[in-house]
Amino acid sequence: MTLPCLDLLLFTQGDVTQRQALASQLLASLTDHGFVKLTKHGIPDRKVHELFKWSEAFFALPPQEKLAIAHPNTSEPQRGFSCVGAENTARLYRKGVLNIANVEDLRDCREHMDIGPLTDRSFPNRWPSEDKLPGFRAFMEGIFSDFETVANAIMAALETAFSVPTGTLNRLITHSASASELRLNHYPEMNAAELKTGHINRTWPHFDLGVISLLFQNHVSGLEFEDRRFPSGEKFLKVESNDPCEMIVNVSETLQRLTNGRLRAGLHRVGVPQESDEMAQGLLKERFSVPFFCKADRNATVGSLKEFVRPGEKAIYEDMSAIQFHQSRLKSAY
């Protein structure tokens, strides 16, 4: 099974018929898989390649430079650098999918840099010094805005597909009060024997917490999504993508809440790259990926929206603010 790959330009610049068709295809893939792939999404290829160059440059900084902007181990929105093992994605999924009693012993083999919106005064970003990485901050602030634009287009397409009023979803993810986050991921080269211990993985099966996630991954793959034809978490499928400019989109927990469960969050993990035989050789290549976590505004209500509760149904999710929901979930990951 392969994920559908859709041309988002058919929605952003298409006629009425093309917009409706694309919206319907988008909804179908996200309903069936929790995932979809997009081309012509609006972020130029040259920017995607430059994004990976900046990511590689950041993680190549001396350890002391990265640790100087480290994110504290709290449930506050993530800002700055997190070293390998700081985040435990296994704790974000507690429904028994791992068949391991104690998830505290599990670790992610990944380091990451988290960047919030420029407009966020409550939780300011932690940047490397300009003399150590000149131009890094300016580029990241610019592409953050690009990701926001793509996320708004995807939300508009879902509003069209669900036949709900324009702005039903987009009013919750405004630019002025944005709580979204951009993350640079680096999965260091590692020995396959470490994976075989059963206590470490690149990332364990988990759900993202926001509304949707938009992801680019470099030429080293490894992302896998749940095969929903089998019991929860029993089988995963590789996301087949050889183009780093192809965007991978998944439903996150907040969108599941907003749609009253009509769209389910996509369970996923990062494992062994599909295109290699490193397992036999005992070595996994380093990997880079860049997810943008589109999140509801911090004070937005993220209970079931009335527009998605069908006649005769009850609202599944209680009202709470987005920040309350995120903090309650993040407490388990650090």
Side-chain angles (χ1 to χ4, degrees):
M1 179 191 299
T2 58
L3 285 176
C5 187
L6 307 179
D7 179 353
L8 190 60
L9 196 67
L10 293 175
F11 182 82
T12 57
Q13 296 186 24
D15 59 29
V16 173
T17 301
Q18 290 172 320
R19 285 169 59 85
Q20 185 63 58
L22 187 285
S24 298
Q25 291 166 358
L26 176 71
L27 178 59
S29 184
L30 293 180
T31 300
D32 292 344
H33 310 294
F35 277 79
V36 71
K37 296 187 293 186
L38 297 177
T39 61
K40 298 181 183 177
H41 37 68
I43 301 181
D45 289 1
R46 60 172 180 80
K47 270 196 170 183
V48 177
H49 292 303
E50 190 174 355
L51 175 60
F52 280 112
K53 288 180 180 178
W54 278 117
S55 181
E56 291 174 17
F58 172 79
F59 290 112
L61 289 172
Q64 63 269 23
E65 295 292 337
K66 293 181 287 186
L67 291 172
I69 56 168
H71 169 68
N73 290 340
T74 70
S75 60
E76 291 185 350
Q78 293 157 279
R79 301 288 185 267
F81 174 70
S82 295
C83 63
V84 172
E87 185 178 64
N88 183 345
T89 52
R91 289 189 227 162
L92 288 174
Y93 186 67
R94 293 177 175 271
K95 296 182 181 178
V97 65
L98 299 176
N99 295 317
I100 295 175
N102 186 7
V103 297
E104 309 304 321
D105 291 338
L106 306 182
R107 290 291 177 266
D108 293 353
C109 187
R110 173 189 55 162
E111 57 182 344
H112 50 94
M113 168 70 182
D114 290 285
I115 300 164
L118 182 62
T119 55
D120 191 351
R121 298 290 180 261
S122 299
F123 303 99
N125 284 312
R126 295 177 168 91
W127 296 104
S129 59
E130 188 66 17
D131 62 322
K132 299 296 182 183
L133 208 56
F136 176 81
R137 176 174 179 172
F139 179 85
M140 292 301 162
E141 288 179 342
I143 204 164
F144 192 104
S145 179
D146 294 337
F147 275 109
E148 286 184 312
T149 299
V150 179
N152 286 142
I154 294 170
M155 290 295 100
L158 288 176
E159 290 169 352
T160 297
F162 276 115
S163 299
V164 297
T166 299
T168 299
L169 295 171
N170 264 325
R171 65 182 172 81
L172 303 175
I173 53 170
T174 66
H175 171 76
S176 59
S178 174
S180 298
E181 295 169 357
L182 176 64
R183 170 173 289 184
L184 311 179
N185 280 326
H186 174 228
Y187 302 82
E189 183 179 86
M190 66 180 296
N191 195 301
E194 295 182 79
L195 290 180
K196 295 175 183 177
T197 66
H199 293 286
I200 190 168
N201 206 342
R202 285 195 147 170
T203 57
W204 294 94
H206 68 284
F207 299 121
D208 294 337
L209 305 184
V211 179
I212 54 172
S213 298
L214 318 179
L215 176 89
F216 293 119
Q217 60 178 0
N218 73 340
H219 62 280
V220 179
S221 63
L223 179 63
E224 301 174 350
F225 66 102
E226 179 189 20
D227 186 342
R228 291 180 172 176
R229 297 171 298 179
F230 294 84
S232 181
E234 183 176 296
K235 186 175 180 180
F236 288 81
L237 299 169
K238 303 283 188 183
V239 175
E240 297 179 1
S241 177
N242 296 317
D243 182 0
C245 298
E246 199 170 65
M247 179 180 285
I248 302 162
V249 178
N250 66 272
V251 177
S252 302
E253 288 190 354
T254 301
L255 188 56
Q256 177 172 317
R257 295 175 61 88
L258 296 173
T259 62
N260 204 40
R262 292 172 69 177
L263 280 177
R264 292 187 292 137
L267 185 66
H268 57 286
R269 67 185 184 187
V270 177
V272 179
Q274 66 184 35
E275 71 283 347
S276 65
D277 60 353
E278 287 103 334
M279 281 297 285
Q281 299 173 3
L283 195 64
L284 298 181
K285 294 178 182 177
E286 68 174 346
R287 176 182 186 267
F288 294 88
S289 70
V290 182
F292 178 80
F293 302 117
C294 171
K295 295 187 174 184
D297 296 353
R298 200 160 288 136
N299 293 319
T301 296
V302 294
S304 300
L305 295 178
K306 61 181 177 56
E307 291 85 354
F308 294 96
V309 181
R310 297 184 180 101
E313 290 183 343
K314 294 183 178 179
I316 300 172
Y317 302 101
E318 64 179 346
D319 286 346
M320 66 172 64
S321 70
I323 188 65
Q324 288 174 322
F325 173 63
H326 291 154
Q327 287 184 333
S328 69
R329 298 288 282 114
L330 284 174
K331 285 178 182 178
S332 68
Y334 285 90

